[in-house]
Amino acid sequence: MRRAIDTLFGRLVVIVIGMLVLSHVAWFAIIRFERDNVQTRFAVEEAVFLVEAVRQHIANTPDQPLPPRVRVVPLASPDVPRQPDENMPPPLQRFVEDLKDRLPDGTDVRLSEPGGPPSVWVHGVKDTGWVVVPVQPLRPPRSRDRMLVWLALIFSTAVLAALFGAWQLQYPLRSLAQAVGRFGRGQPTPPVPERGPRELRQLTHGFNQMVREVSQTESDRAVMLAGVAHDLKTPLARLRLRAEMMDDAKMRDGVVRDVDSMAHIVDQFLVFAHDRPDGSEPVPVDEQCERIARAYRAVSPGAQPIRLKLEAGLAFALPAATLDRLLSNLLDNAHAYGAPPVVIETRREAKVWVLSVSDHGKGIAPDDLIKASRPFVRLDPARGGSGHSGLGLAIVERLARRVGGECEIGNRADGGLQVAMTFPFDIATRPVEERRAGPQHEERVS
């Protein structure tokens, strides 16, 4: 199952959001801590200033009245608050300790009783009474703070900007990965735009250059192979005509068989060299499999039996010419090297259609499976004179990839070779009428 975290963009999202959360939480904690310290220091400085102002007022102008909420209380007054206890909130304890540090040694500092206006009571060594001055309230941090709103706004903006940057960074890489996938399946691969960081541009440039060189090499090889195969058809036709005119029937039949084998090899060369997309009409795979199986039995009555296990339905459709070439090559391969019965099977899986052809022969040695689909490779050297060029499975793989599918060659658990081709739904699930309508119909639907 594909997970979003497995993609480059998903991992960038996790890293970006994780770093932003960590930095914003640390920033918020530091701001809250510093704000409490600033509030405490300001309250201490204000209280010290008021106490010194009251003392100067008493010493210089004792007859003048004191400002509101500022007073001098006798030492024996019953209103004097008690000594602060250890259960005071930490902000208040820190305020009292900082205030004692700012006042002369021996100064007694007390806070007013809860319920009244917040004030601080100060009695120095030389004071004749308690100096009572107001103090700004020291409240613990509130659970809901406007700073949280700003934090959420800044965090959301930063996340959106970071995600946009991450998307811009991974988009060229995703385009390159898609192009690599198309190139690996043998599909046409247009040049990938060279954008993004310098290293990614260099990688994209190298990939585009590699695609051009490989395409040019494939084109040259296909042209050469097609030219040679085409030029051989005329002398083969003359050779067959001359063989038909031989008097010795035994020699005539042998030469005709050799000419037919050579003609079959030439036809395989032409099919392998053909590099244009299939323009034939799409047909239901199940119906075409039944038709080809009947034709195969009629042309080769002595051939091994063919069993059909068709479960895909009418929705599974492929171009007719491609499907004919796929099945004919696989049936010829099974007839030449396998053992009966040959089974043609179609089915629908979770995300793909499956078309497979299997036999009940000896299969292929595990070490040779990787070479089975290579062109011009014959796993058994003794087969060189049987009219086969080593292109059968290579043609099958190339045709399957040309229409967007994948080909897997392997051995069955109970013996025999199995060639399984898978085709994604977006390629092979559209109704036949819709596929025949072509691009104009697709534009109208979109």
Side-chain angles (χ1 to χ4, degrees), residues 211-227 272-275 398:
V211 170
R212 286 193 297 268
E213 293 178 356
V214 172
S215 300
Q216 184 63 39
T217 303
E218 288 288 332
S219 178
D220 294 343
R221 186 179 67 172
V223 170
M224 180 187 68
L225 192 61
F272 183 76
H274 178 76
D275 200 28
R398 172 170 287 200

Side-chain angles (χ1 to χ4, degrees), residues 115-289:
S119 59
V120 60
W121 295 58
V122 178
H123 175 254
V125 176
K126 298 180 180 180
D127 294 336
T128 58
W130 291 91
V131 179
V132 182
V133 296
V135 66
Q136 65 176 355
L138 295 174
R139 296 185 298 269
R142 292 172 294 177
S143 59
R144 298 184 63 182
D145 200 313
R146 280 190 302 177
M147 190 159 50
L148 291 175
V149 177
W150 285 104
L151 180 66
L153 180 61
I154 295 173
F155 178 78
S156 301
T157 305
V159 167
L160 291 177
L163 293 184
F164 179 76
W167 183 81
Q168 289 287 342
L169 182 64
Q170 65 87 37
Y171 183 77
L173 192 58
R174 185 180 63 177
S175 300
L176 180 60
Q178 293 173 348
V180 170
R182 289 194 298 269
F183 182 71
R185 292 191 296 269
Q187 298 175 346
T189 306
V192 182
E194 299 177 11
R195 53 189 174 187
R198 182 178 61 185
E199 294 81 2
L200 186 55
R201 294 198 304 271
Q202 292 175 348
L203 177 63
T204 306
H205 178 76
F207 174 77
N208 289 334
Q209 185 176 3
M210 180 192 69
V211 170
R212 286 193 297 268
E213 293 178 356
V214 172
S215 300
Q216 184 63 39
T217 303
E218 288 288 332
S219 178
D220 294 343
R221 186 179 67 172
V223 170
M224 180 187 68
L225 192 61
V228 172
H230 183 270
D231 292 341
L232 286 176
K233 293 181 72 70
T234 300
L236 284 176
R238 292 198 300 265
L239 186 60
R240 182 184 178 88
L241 179 61
R242 292 175 181 175
E244 294 287 351
M245 299 173 63
M246 289 183 177
D247 296 332
D248 190 339
K250 184 176 181 180
M251 181 176 293
R252 181 180 63 245
D253 293 341
V255 174
V256 169
R257 284 196 300 270
D258 291 340
V259 171
D260 289 341
S261 297
M262 294 174 65
H264 178 71
I265 293 175
V266 169
D267 290 338
Q268 284 192 316
F269 282 175
L270 290 174
V271 173
F272 183 76
H274 178 76
D275 200 28
R276 293 188 299 272
D278 188 356
S280 60
E281 294 185 355
V283 295
V285 174
D286 287 3
E287 295 181 358
Q288 192 70 0
C289 288

Side-chain angles (χ1 to χ4, degrees), residues 1-11 170 173-175 177-178 185 350-352 424 426:
M1 182 178 67
R2 295 183 60 185
R3 297 181 299 172
I5 192 65
D6 289 335
T7 63
L8 175 62
F9 182 68
R11 297 194 178 189
Q170 65 87 37
L173 192 58
R174 185 180 63 177
S175 300
Q178 293 173 348
R185 292 191 296 269
K351 296 182 179 180
V352 294
D426 58 351

Side-chain angles (χ1 to χ4, degrees), residues 332-365:
D332 289 344
N333 188 79
H335 174 68
Y337 309 126
V342 178
V343 181
I344 302 177
E345 180 181 0
T346 63
R347 65 181 183 274
R348 173 175 179 166
E349 294 187 350
K351 296 182 179 180
V352 294
W353 298 105
V354 178
L355 168 62
S356 67
V357 176
S358 58
D359 60 62
H360 291 72
K362 297 180 180 179
I364 298 177

